[in-house]
Amino acid sequence: MEKVLWGILGAARVNERLLPAIVNSPFGELVAIGSRRQNAAAECLEKYQPALVGNVQTFNSLDEVINHPDIDAIYIPLSNEEHTEPALKAINNKKHVLIEKPITLHSKEVELIQEAADKNHVKVMEGFMYVFHPQFDRINEIISSGLLGDVQYVHSMFSFPIQPARFYRIDRSIENGGGALWDIGPYAIHTIRQCFDQNPLSVVATSHLNDHGADLTTSGMIDFGLNRRAQFDISFECVRRSQFEIFGSKGKLMCHTVWQHENDEAQLTLTTDADGSKNERIEKANHFTLEIDHFNQCIINNTVPKLSLGDALWNTKVLEAIQASIKTKAWVNF
């Protein structure tokens, strides 16, 4: 069986989930990890896949992975503000690229990535793993079925109380990729956008900023026109939540946990005028594994990824507009 040969840029904590997904995929194989921190790549491999020590190369730089002649695809889990330059280097080196959310902090950079991907005929996808869980397929099925009627309102809520060990997420301003907006905000906006059949018209938001100018909490509204709207709440100061609720003219649907653990069944609650409230259990699944398998198969079979760069562009545009609204304290139009 043909396999995609992978490299990883950075020793980020998310490798705890993605590294095994790459290693265990029947369609992929891990070749190398690189980090700019001395010995960090080797330590990452030792921590998350000790059985592969000696079989996977580790480097104290990113470029050695990007330029590696045997690597087909690269995963980029670097800090929010650091994605664009290595992504473009990898793409221009004919590598397929999976970029952890947010794909970039600027929509113009998404356009540069799209241009480079088209020119070099490679696959590029933003890493929203949750859309590969079967519960998301069921959510789409319910929306498409008309059980909810016309979707009119969505409320998305993502939060967790940040601990001192994670303060590196809030040690710089929003403009430089710090804070909740660029960390968990991409999920809040992406889940909302999947519920509507058009792009938003305007947004407004307000935040609680720390001394670095990073948002600890941000709340806001998105106007989709035709009396369709959404509200989002993201926070590093609130109890853990990763959920959203969809309200239509005939019913509502609650997704209780978006970041679903592989050992837990997912639960959706569907409420309609006709049938009342019913809970649905969704089979257990590892959305990280499903994401990697999907991207591998797109590369092998030359098919289009489930998440397009057009989708990534609009998610970035909305996050940019929210950032602008926080600064101006006013509605921002697209």
Side-chain angles (χ1 to χ4, degrees):
M1 178 186 293
E2 182 181 355
K3 288 193 174 185
V4 177
L5 304 182
W6 280 85
I8 297 176
L9 303 186
R13 185 168 174 258
V14 71
N15 281 327
E16 179 180 5
R17 306 302 301 277
L18 260 296
L19 200 157
I22 292 171
V23 169
N24 295 327
S25 175
F27 313 106
E29 180 180 332
L30 182 62
V31 172
I33 306 174
S35 175
R36 292 159 297 190
R37 291 183 287 122
Q38 193 73 16
N39 298 323
E43 292 168 0
C44 178
L45 185 65
E46 173 70 34
K47 184 175 183 180
Y48 298 130
Q49 287 290 305
L52 293 181
V53 172
N55 295 319
V56 172
Q57 295 175 278
T58 58
F59 299 105
N60 292 317
S61 77
L62 304 182
D63 285 346
E64 286 177 279
V65 176
I66 292 171
N67 296 323
H68 198 297
D70 297 333
I71 287 175
D72 304 310
I74 288 178
Y75 171 56
I76 302 179
L78 299 169
S79 297
N80 298 334
E81 67 276 14
E82 297 182 314
H83 294 171
T84 303
E85 181 179 347
L88 289 172
K89 280 185 178 181
I91 292 166
N92 288 323
N93 237 355
K94 310 295 184 182
K95 313 294 189 188
H96 307 281
V97 184
L98 175 64
I99 308 174
E100 192 55 53
K101 60 79 206 162
I103 187 169
T104 72
L105 302 188
H106 307 286
S107 56
K108 289 183 178 180
E109 293 176 2
V110 184
E111 293 171 346
L112 291 176
I113 289 171
Q114 176 77 76
E115 291 171 7
D118 291 344
K119 179 181 177 180
N120 290 282
H121 306 290
V122 296
K123 313 291 182 187
V124 180
M125 189 174 78
E126 187 172 19
F128 283 112
M129 77 296 183
Y130 81 94
V131 304
F132 296 94
H133 195 285
Q135 80 166 339
F136 187 70
D137 292 332
R138 178 56 180 149
I139 290 168
N140 280 334
E141 181 183 358
I142 290 170
I143 294 173
S144 299
S145 72
L147 280 171
L148 303 180
D150 296 327
V151 175
Q152 298 170 333
Y153 174 71
V154 178
H155 188 188
S156 185
M157 295 163 281
F158 287 77
S159 63
F160 60 87
I162 196 164
Q163 303 301 314
R166 306 286 173 250
F167 281 0
Y168 61 84
R169 300 183 182 205
I170 56 173
D171 65 357
R172 59 208 184 281
S173 68
I174 296 180
E175 290 79 7
N176 292 315
L181 179 64
W182 290 108
D183 195 300
I184 50 180
Y187 290 109
I189 302 310
H190 200 260
T191 52
I192 286 170
R193 291 183 47 255
Q194 306 315 298
C195 301
F196 293 97
D197 57 5
Q198 71 175 71
N199 293 317
L201 302 180
S202 58
V203 301
V204 67
T206 183
S207 294
H208 172 210
L209 305 178
N210 68 5
D211 292 340
H212 298 286
D215 64 312
L216 301 179
T217 296
T218 293
S219 299
M221 295 193 68
I222 307 175
D223 179 15
F224 284 86
L226 300 176
N227 197 35
R228 295 184 294 180
R229 61 212 181 280
Q231 183 177 346
F232 58 90
D233 297 289
I234 54 175
S235 180
F236 287 148
E237 302 176 291
C238 187
V239 67
R240 179 173 289 272
R241 302 172 299 172
S242 65
Q243 63 190 56
F244 66 104
E245 193 165 10
I246 310 166
F247 298 82
S249 55
K250 297 180 181 178
K252 64 180 180 178
L253 178 67
M254 166 64 83
C255 174
H256 294 270
T257 305
V258 175
W259 299 325
Q260 192 63 51
H261 193 276
E262 63 191 88
N263 295 323
D264 297 328
E265 288 184 333
Q267 177 178 300
L268 302 174
T269 301
L270 173 63
T271 304
T272 63
D273 293 339
D275 298 321
S277 184
K278 295 181 178 180
N279 291 328
E280 291 191 20
R281 296 285 182 178
I282 310 297
E283 63 190 276
K284 298 176 183 179
N286 185 324
H287 45 205
F288 293 100
T289 297
L290 294 171
E291 175 187 43
I292 292 298
D293 285 350
H294 169 80
F295 197 61
N296 280 334
Q297 290 175 303
C298 287
I299 294 168
I300 293 169
N301 299 320
N302 192 27
T303 52
V304 178
K306 184 174 184 176
L307 294 172
S308 70
L309 284 174
D311 177 70
L313 176 63
W314 263 100
N315 221 58
T316 307
K317 283 184 175 181
V318 177
L319 290 161
E320 279 182 313
I322 292 168
Q323 180 177 297
S325 178
I326 292 168
K327 186 174 182 179
T328 62
K329 303 183 186 303
W331 283 89
V332 173
N333 299 321
F334 294 98

